[in-house]
Amino acid sequence: MSALSNLKILDFSTLLPGPFGTLILADLGAQILRVEAPDRLDLTRELGEKDGNASYVHRYLNRSKKSIALDLKNSEAITVVKKLIAEYDVVIEQFRPGVMAKLGLSYDALKEINPKLVYCSLTGYGQTGAYKDRAGHDNNYLALSGIQDYSRRKNQAPVPAGIQIADVAGGSMHLVAGLLAAVIQRLETGVGQYIDISITDAAFTLNAMSAASYLGSNKETGAEEELLNGQQFYDYYETSDSRYFSIGGLEPKFRLGLCEALEIPHLTGMAMSQEIAEQQAFKEELKNIIKRKSFGYWQVFFQKLDLCVEPVLTLAEACSHQQIQDRNMVVNVGGIPQVASAINMSESKASYLFKGCDIGANNDILMNEFSFSQEEFNQLNIKGVFGTKKQEKL
């Protein structure tokens, strides 16, 4: 039995933040039913290389999730959703504020049907505030949160991150935490609740150490002005063949070990110094040393040394790395290698049922789980509830 096998979630979200959050929940066994617009394609279905008619990105983000196609502009579709709420008592939506209310699917409307409903709205800026109706993407949220300004080299422009930090570490993770907290509270009270998550709020909390320091001291930070953002030797170092190594041994034993391994005992005092100028001078010495040898040389050199020094791998190298393989972080789902769940539990294993499916692949769930008759199902189809309106046969 999976940890969340009794949790049923109606998922209206698209793109990355919501789907990544529900992927975590699905891997833990939650039953996810995606409500998809039949005439408005989720862009992740077209993003990157494809497996048949859908991208590998979609196949991954939406694995183990069923799909029902509903035209929410059709009043009959709204009636269907309201029937689903009796069974799927958790809702996740990612529309701009007010959209679900206009459709007649607000929290206030649906909790009248099921008071146990847990309803989570995930948006860029939340349901309140001056920016609530404003469009945005990951880099905008990182920009407004203050993260991007001090996460760059001095006198250089911010660099687009290779992953969507605000969307995932901010939005998705806070979605999962907030939703599960509400479900646990419901076990005690028997009552659901509404959850408002702003990706910008969530990204702002990722300033864990820097914001705490600034708010307490009123001392501003900036690019390469902190221990962990490039001011000192905790950094990335270029090799002779233009690859990179990360050196992060902050603790004294690692600094001493690094000096010993590199045979630079004369730099030990500099390495151990608390003076910023001394640390920066040590960093320059390390740059020169690492630059003299190739990536392959340093891989062999540091492999058996426990000094917080690791190679900067390509994604392909990471996928085949021994540690990733040892931890079974690549699994096969429906004939496709995919990233596994990072949550390992002793009493409930991760659940990988099937790869992301086609839009409306599970429309028949209405008959199989909700007692719609074949005739009722056919009428919904004729009325265009599942998409393009059908002409009734004479």
Side-chain angles (χ1 to χ4, degrees):
M1 180 177 178
S2 297
L4 300 180
S5 58
N6 291 322
L7 194 63
K8 292 187 174 182
I9 300 172
L10 208 56
D11 181 8
F12 292 84
S13 69
T14 59
L15 300 174
L16 177 62
F20 190 82
T22 54
L23 171 66
I24 294 172
L25 297 167
D27 286 347
L28 295 175
Q31 300 176 56
I32 312 292
L33 178 59
R34 299 191 76 212
V35 178
E36 299 193 75
D39 58 350
R40 184 169 57 86
L41 199 66
D42 185 339
L43 292 179
T44 59
R45 287 184 177 271
E46 299 294 319
L47 189 64
E49 300 299 321
K50 285 192 171 184
D51 167 52
N53 63 352
S55 71
Y56 289 103
V57 174
H58 160 72
R59 298 296 192 204
Y60 165 64
L61 287 176
N62 295 300
R63 74 173 169 221
S64 303
K65 304 175 190 175
K66 294 179 180 179
S67 169
I68 183 171
L70 292 178
D71 179 2
L72 296 179
K73 295 178 182 178
N74 186 317
S75 61
E76 296 274 358
I78 302 305
T79 300
V80 170
V81 171
K82 290 180 177 180
K83 290 183 178 179
L84 296 177
I85 291 301
E87 189 78 18
Y88 284 76
D89 56 4
V90 176
V91 164
I92 296 171
E93 65 93 5
Q94 200 175 298
F95 296 110
R96 289 205 200 184
V99 170
M100 288 291 271
K102 289 179 182 178
L103 293 171
L105 297 175
S106 68
Y107 170 65
D108 287 336
L110 296 184
K111 75 174 182 179
E112 293 299 318
I113 300 169
N114 188 345
K116 291 185 177 181
L117 181 67
V118 170
Y119 188 118
C120 181
S121 294
L122 174 65
T123 58
Y125 301 108
Q127 302 297 304
T128 60
Y131 273 39
K132 70 182 181 67
D133 296 316
R134 195 176 179 93
H137 279 297
D138 187 85
N139 64 338
N140 304 130
Y141 311 140
L142 290 174
L144 286 176
S145 71
I147 291 172
Q148 283 295 76
D149 182 63
Y150 68 90
S151 300
R152 61 187 173 92
R153 297 297 182 189
K154 195 177 289 290
N155 301 318
Q156 293 186 24
V159 177
I163 64 169
Q164 288 63 54
I165 299 170
D167 283 350
V168 174
S172 304
M173 297 304 181
H174 283 75
L175 161 68
V176 171
L179 185 151
L180 293 180
V183 169
I184 291 171
Q185 187 173 14
R186 183 173 68 183
L187 295 174
E188 298 292 330
T189 65
V191 179
Q193 63 184 296
Y194 180 72
I195 307 167
D196 168 16
I197 294 180
S198 153
I199 297 175
T200 302
D201 289 356
F204 184 66
T205 69
L206 300 180
N207 290 292
M209 293 188 285
S210 298
S213 180
Y214 169 71
L215 291 171
S217 68
N218 204 34
K219 182 180 179 181
E220 180 67 286
T221 188
E224 297 184 295
E225 292 183 7
E226 293 188 11
L227 175 65
L228 303 180
N229 79 341
Q231 180 195 63
Q232 300 180 37
F233 81 94
Y234 179 98
D235 212 327
Y236 299 95
Y237 295 81
E238 187 177 9
T239 62
S240 64
D241 48 354
S242 300
R243 295 288 300 272
Y244 289 85
F245 262 74
S246 61
I247 299 180
L250 299 173
E251 295 82 356
K253 68 175 182 178
F254 295 129
R255 300 187 203 185
L256 289 171
L258 186 62
C259 289
E260 180 180 347
L262 294 174
E263 298 180 353
I264 49 173
H266 58 289
L267 298 180
T268 299
M270 190 182 294
M272 300 300 291
S273 174
Q274 298 301 308
E275 297 295 324
I276 292 176
E278 291 275 277
Q279 283 288 307
Q280 291 175 338
F282 180 60
K283 180 177 181 177
E284 290 303 313
E285 294 286 351
L286 283 180
K287 282 183 180 180
N288 293 331
I289 293 168
I290 301 301
K291 184 71 172 175
R292 293 174 195 155
K293 303 290 185 179
S294 70
F295 183 79
Y297 173 87
W298 290 121
Q299 275 191 300
V300 173
F301 183 89
F302 285 113
Q303 179 63 40
K304 295 183 179 181
L305 297 174
D306 188 21
L307 297 173
C308 299
V309 179
E310 299 295 348
V312 176
L313 302 179
T314 66
L315 180 56
E317 289 169 339
C319 287
S320 60
H321 190 272
Q322 187 65 53
Q323 179 64 14
I324 297 297
Q325 295 297 317
D326 288 347
R327 297 284 294 173
N328 299 312
M329 281 305 298
V330 177
V331 293
N332 189 293
V333 183
I336 300 174
Q338 295 185 341
V339 177
S341 171
I343 300 173
N344 293 289
M345 305 176 71
S346 65
E347 301 302 321
S348 59
K349 303 302 180 184
S351 174
Y352 311 118
L353 301 180
F354 48 84
K355 62 187 180 182
C357 62
D358 293 341
I359 296 174
N362 307 103
N363 286 350
D364 60 1
I365 196 173
L366 296 181
M367 293 185 291
N368 297 336
E369 292 187 23
F370 292 91
S371 302
F372 281 68
S373 68
Q374 183 68 61
E375 177 59 28
E376 288 172 321
F377 184 86
N378 291 342
Q379 285 299 312
L380 292 174
N381 194 30
I382 290 168
K383 293 176 181 178
V385 169
F386 305 124
T388 304
K389 191 170 184 177
K390 308 291 183 183
Q391 293 297 318
E392 186 171 3
K393 292 181 180 180
L394 298 175

